[in-house]
Amino acid sequence: MTSDAAVLTVVAGPGTLVLTGEAAVLPNTADHVVTTQQEQAATYTWTSRNGTITAGDGTPRITYTAGRLGQVELFLTVSNLAGTQGAYRNVVVAASLP
């Protein structure tokens, strides 16, 4: 007896994440963008310290508002059925930009 053909889908775990965006921003300014590569069938979870994510949570691209002088710390976790990867980006919050 022969069964019907089956479909096998292979999902690779998330690759090494690279976060791109500005290296320095002014305090309390909006519309800054950080991105990473698109991963197959993945969920994206962003968090921040000294900043507020204003758009894009759950996607590979967020927009955020910077906080006070110091640094904005952005964290990303990407998960799919095959695994989880994390990434971190530190953005300087300076009184003036070069």
Side-chain angles (χ1 to χ4, degrees):
M1 178 183 244
T2 304
S3 62
D4 292 340
V7 175
L8 173 65
T9 302
V10 176
V11 177
T16 301
L17 301 175
V18 176
L19 302 182
T20 59
E22 298 165 287
V25 297
L26 296 171
N28 305 309
T29 55
D31 298 326
H32 304 291
V33 175
V34 173
T35 63
T36 193
Q37 66 273 17
Q38 179 78 40
E39 295 286 342
Q40 180 181 2
T43 59
Y44 298 81
T45 305
W46 294 87
T47 58
S48 72
R49 285 191 202 142
N50 193 32
T52 304
I53 297 169
T54 56
D57 196 18
T59 73
R61 179 184 189 272
I62 60 161
T63 303
Y64 70 94
T65 298
R68 68 190 182 290
L69 288 174
Q71 59 190 348
V72 173
E73 297 172 283
L74 298 162
F75 305 91
L76 172 62
T77 302
V78 178
S79 301
N80 66 15
L81 294 174
T84 300
Q85 286 287 339
Y88 167 82
R89 182 162 181 89
N90 183 31
V91 180
V92 175
V93 181
S96 64
L97 300 176

